[in-house]
Structures are given as C-alpha cells and as structure tokens.
C-alpha cells in the first residue's frame, strides 16, 4: 500500500536521529500486525464457512487452513506493539 511504500522510503532516506528510525520501524510493525490480524480474522471466517458448506471430498479448505496457520505463526513471531 501507499503507507508501506512511504514508510520504507522514509527509513531509507532518514538522516535524522536514530530514534526517528526506531519510531518508523515501530509504526510499520504496528501496521503489519494490524494487517495480519485482519487477514487472520478473514481466514478464520472463510474456513468456518468452507467447512460447513463444501461438498464431501472438496478439500479446497486446506489452502485456507494453510494460509491461516502461516498468518498465525507470523503473528506469534512479531513483537507486541500497539500504536
């Protein structure tokens, strides 16, 4: 997104105090965490719907479950930060 590009550009071009860079990294990490949390909730809902409605033998829900687990692992590895 535009906010991500702006944040990374800001990191590359900052010649100010190191604390400004830390603040930018913190802000980007918080944005990423929020995005991952939103995706996690979307995937949980989709998986629930798929399990209830897909015909027997259709295992497309497995892709959703794999992505859900990947997002969950990414969230678990991220530092807790709120902004």
């Amino acid at each position: 997104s535009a906010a991500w590009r702006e944040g990374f550009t800001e990191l590359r071009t900052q010649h100010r105090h190191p604390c400004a860079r830390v603040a930018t990294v913190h802000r980007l990490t918080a944005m990423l965490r929020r995005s991952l949390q939103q995706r996690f909730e979307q995937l949980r809902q989709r998986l629930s719907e798929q399990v209830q409605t897909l015909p027997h033998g259709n295992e497309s829900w497995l892709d959703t479950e794999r992505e859900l687990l990947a997002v969950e692992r990414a969230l678990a590895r991220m530092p807790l930060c709120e902004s």
Side-chain angles (χ1 to χ4, degrees), residues 45-57:
Q45 182 64 37
R46 181 191 301 165
L47 183 60
S48 174
E49 292 168 2
Q50 285 177 326
V51 168
Q52 292 175 18
T53 61
L54 285 174
H56 183 69

Side-chain angles (χ1 to χ4, degrees), residues 5 7 12-13 19 38-39 41 44-46 49 51 53 57 59 62 69 74 81-83:
R5 282 190 297 279
R12 284 194 306 266
T13 60
C19 289
Q38 289 171 348
R39 184 65 179 152
E41 289 304 319
R44 259 186 30 185
Q45 182 64 37
R46 181 191 301 165
E49 292 168 2
V51 168
T53 61
E59 296 184 357
L62 287 171
L69 290 173
C81 63
E82 298 296 327
S83 60

Side-chain angles (χ1 to χ4, degrees), residues 29-69:
T29 302
M31 286 173 56
L32 178 59
R33 175 170 276 287
R34 281 191 301 274
S35 295
L36 285 171
Q37 287 169 330
Q38 289 171 348
R39 184 65 179 152
F40 180 79
E41 289 304 319
Q42 290 170 349
L43 289 167
R44 259 186 30 185
Q45 182 64 37
R46 181 191 301 165
L47 183 60
S48 174
E49 292 168 2
Q50 285 177 326
V51 168
Q52 292 175 18
T53 61
L54 285 174
H56 183 69
N58 184 331
E59 296 184 357
S60 62
W61 61 271
L62 287 171
D63 292 333
T64 303
E65 185 178 42
R66 284 185 196 105
E67 186 179 352
L68 179 66
L69 290 173

